[in-house]
């Protein structure tokens, strides 16, 4: 499925919980350049595509919309937890049983997921021995 690179950059940036300024800083460019990429007013060159891929931890095929999923990229579970924690903290208006989620609630959710992952890891290690 082919997609516009600008909209893909914007989607990835938002999923990562970054502002245009934060992404620009990681890329070594101006925030306005990031904005131009996202709006399709400017196309990133090959070097910038590689830097974007490095920042987002994806392949060029994924960034360029040549595949739906990037199955070749491997991440440590801690990286996924960090991304999830960042996204969870940025979400406004989250509710749990009709009550707004506070910072402590968000932290407990992340801790619970980490605990389940640790149990799964232990179980996996046992089954491999």
């Amino acid at each position: 499925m082919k997609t516009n690179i600008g909209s893909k950059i914007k989607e990835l940036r938002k999923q990562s919980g970054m502002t245009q300024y934060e992404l620009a800083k990681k890329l070594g460019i101006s925030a306005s350049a990031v904005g131009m990429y996202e709006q399709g007013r400017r196309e990133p060159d090959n070097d910038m595509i590689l830097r974007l891929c490095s920042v987002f931890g994806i392949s060029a095929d994924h960034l360029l919309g040549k595949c739906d999923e990037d199955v070749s990229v491997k991440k440590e579970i801690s990286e996924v937890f960090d991304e999830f924690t960042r996204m969870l903290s940025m979400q406004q208006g989250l509710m749990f049983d009709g009550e707004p989620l506070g910072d402590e609630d968000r932290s407990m959710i992340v801790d619970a997921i980490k605990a389940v992952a640790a149990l799964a890891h232990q179980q996996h290690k046992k089954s491999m021995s």
Side-chain angles (χ1 to χ4, degrees):
M1 176 166 109
K2 188 138 172 74
T3 185
N4 174 307
I5 191 167
S7 61
K8 189 68 176 175
I9 293 169
K10 184 175 184 176
E11 173 190 333
L12 290 164
R13 175 181 61 78
K14 287 187 172 202
Q15 285 176 352
S16 298
M18 283 188 270
T19 64
Q20 287 183 344
Y21 175 79
E22 291 167 331
L23 177 58
K25 194 172 178 181
K26 288 180 184 261
L27 295 171
I29 60 175
S30 69
S32 64
V34 171
M36 285 191 259
Y37 290 150
E38 290 182 358
Q39 295 165 16
R41 294 176 31 207
R42 189 173 178 185
E43 290 284 320
D45 62 16
N46 290 343
D47 179 58
M48 184 56 60
I49 288 172
L50 293 175
R51 285 194 269 167
L52 284 160
C53 292
S54 176
V55 167
F56 295 125
I58 60 171
S59 70
D61 280 349
H62 185 69
L63 180 63
L64 298 171
K66 296 188 180 274
C67 62
D68 289 332
E69 259 184 85
D70 191 11
V71 293
S72 64
V73 174
K74 296 180 179 166
K75 288 186 175 182
E76 283 293 323
I77 193 76
S78 61
E79 292 177 65
V80 175
F81 287 144
D82 290 344
E83 288 173 24
F84 176 73
T85 303
R86 202 170 32 253
M87 288 180 3
L88 188 63
S89 68
M90 305 264 315
Q91 289 291 321
Q92 299 297 316
L94 284 178
M95 308 278 273
F96 187 75
D97 286 337
E99 297 291 323
L101 275 179
D103 291 337
E104 188 176 324
D105 298 320
R106 293 170 199 260
S107 180
M108 287 184 354
I109 290 169
V110 171
D111 290 346
I113 293 170
K114 286 180 180 179
V116 170
L119 287 172
H121 182 67
Q122 285 177 342
Q123 200 61 28
H124 175 73
K125 285 173 79 172
K126 281 183 186 176
S127 70
M128 297 303 287
S129 44

